[in-house]
């Protein structure tokens, strides 16, 4: 009996020993795996769907921690008009900050919870040349037209937040042609950019989408239209400029903040025209 009990104790000891060794092996393996270098998570690094595998990521501008500040009195008046009116027209030459101010205000409103969705749209009109067939789905095709606003939102919200909002419908970017039948509900900030390339019928269709308690900003330069005939932006300003809760803000050449060279270039072109 003594021998059998001793054998049992020995077997039990051996089994427990092997079990402990196995557990130690698992723990060492898990520690080894956890000690491996994890991929760096950075909101400033965004993935690209590039054809070349050598270029899979790109650097996005870091998020700006500062609130939106006007660079001149014209921008301040424009910002105030957007905050106080349901429909604001921003008209003027390139480089005055029309798109940036509108995009930054929309980003701040979304982040603070004052709105629930941003809608970005513009007519899919090329400037003087056709890009031909663009591969990919609708979002990929339209992304080339809305990249400027994507940069603004990345700067104000961070690239990671913008990607999340795009995936979950908090930020919607769609061609103007796909706005028919939609309603811009409350707590929605809508921006129509490059509105000088809309037809009168397109502008009417867009304007009749506006619902209650919706914020709408329409930007463009009536002197840079890429369509023939009258454009919807100039027509809408002439028709709606005196309506209550509608504001038309006109930027001048002196309000250009992009660079002094842009002012000089616009002067030369306008002189020739």
């Amino acid at each position: 009996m003594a021998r059998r009990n001793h054998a049992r104790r020995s077997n039990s000891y051996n089994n427990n020993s092997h079990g402990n060794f196995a557990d130690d092996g698992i723990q060492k393996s898990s520690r080894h795996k956890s000690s491996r270098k994890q991929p760096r998570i950075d909101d400033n690094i965004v993935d690209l769907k590039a054809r070349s595998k050598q270029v899979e990521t790109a650097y996005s501008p870091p998020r700006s921690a500062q609130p939106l500040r006007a660079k001149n009195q014209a921008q301040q008046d424009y910002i105030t008009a957007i905050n106080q009116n349901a429909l604001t027209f921003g008209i003027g030459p390139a480089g005055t900050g029309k798109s940036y101010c509108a995009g930054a205000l929309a980003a701040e409103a979304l982040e603070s919870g004052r709105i629930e969705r941003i809608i970005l749209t513009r007519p899919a009109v090329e400037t003087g040349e056709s890009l031909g067939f663009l591969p990919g789905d609708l979002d990929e095709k339209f992304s080339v037209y809305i990249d400027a606003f994507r940069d603004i939102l990345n700067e104000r919200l961070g690239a990671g937040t913008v990607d999340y909002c795009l995936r979950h419908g908090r930020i919607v970017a769609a061609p103007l042609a796909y706005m028919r039948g939609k309603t811009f509900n409350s707590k929605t900030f809508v921006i129509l950019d490059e509105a000088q390339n809309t037809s009168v019928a397109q502008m009417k269709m867009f304007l009749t989408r506006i619902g209650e308690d919706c914020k709408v900003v329409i930007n463009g330069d009536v002197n840079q239209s890429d369509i023939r005939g009258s454009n919807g932006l100039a027509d809408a300003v002439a028709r709606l400029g005196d309506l209550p809760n509608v504001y038309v803000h006109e930027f001048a050449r002196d309000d250009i903040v992009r660079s002094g060279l842009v002012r000089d270039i616009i002067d030369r072109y306008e002189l020739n025209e």
Side-chain angles (χ1 to χ4, degrees), residues 75-269:
Q75 283 191 3
Q76 185 59 58
D77 294 341
Y78 181 56
I79 293 171
T80 302
I82 293 175
N83 289 328
Q84 295 180 352
N85 295 275
L87 174 59
T88 305
F89 290 90
I91 303 173
T96 52
K98 303 184 298 295
S99 299
Y100 186 88
C101 289
L105 287 176
E108 289 183 357
L110 181 65
E111 186 176 31
S112 65
R114 299 195 306 272
I115 64 171
E116 297 178 352
R117 185 171 60 159
I118 298 174
I119 297 179
L120 307 173
T121 186
R122 57 163 288 180
V125 177
E126 292 89 358
T127 305
E129 62 178 338
S130 176
L131 298 178
F133 173 77
L134 294 176
D137 56 20
L138 176 63
D139 292 338
E140 293 173 335
K141 294 176 187 292
F142 190 63
S143 64
V144 297
Y145 295 98
I146 213 71
D147 275 347
F149 269 109
R150 179 68 180 266
D151 292 340
I152 296 171
L153 295 177
N154 284 347
E155 180 180 339
R156 305 307 304 185
L157 295 174
T161 301
V162 173
D163 287 339
Y164 176 87
C165 291
L166 285 168
R167 291 196 305 269
H168 292 82
R170 302 293 299 278
I171 298 176
V172 179
L176 181 61
Y178 286 79
M179 293 294 106
R180 185 176 296 279
K182 296 184 179 296
T183 300
F184 305 144
N185 297 320
S186 61
K187 291 194 173 182
T188 302
F189 199 119
V190 187
I191 302 175
L192 170 59
D193 205 38
E194 302 294 339
Q196 74 275 2
N197 290 329
T198 62
S199 65
V200 175
Q202 284 179 318
M203 180 61 75
K204 178 183 177 182
M205 179 272 294
F206 174 81
L207 292 171
T208 53
R209 306 300 99 204
I210 301 176
E212 294 291 341
D213 300 324
C214 177
K215 184 77 68 177
V216 179
V217 178
I218 300 177
N219 293 325
D221 182 2
V222 293
N223 296 321
Q224 288 191 350
S225 178
D226 297 309
I227 62 174
R228 296 181 180 179
S230 59
N231 64 74
L233 177 60
D235 181 78
V237 169
R239 292 176 186 267
L240 310 178
D242 58 347
L243 288 178
N245 217 9
V246 176
Y247 189 90
V248 179
H249 182 80
E250 296 188 24
F251 289 91
R253 185 200 71 86
D254 293 336
D255 299 326
I256 296 174
V257 295
R258 184 168 294 163
S259 68
L261 179 58
V262 172
R263 288 194 295 269
D264 296 336
I265 291 172
I266 291 177
D267 282 344
R268 293 300 178 92
Y269 273 93

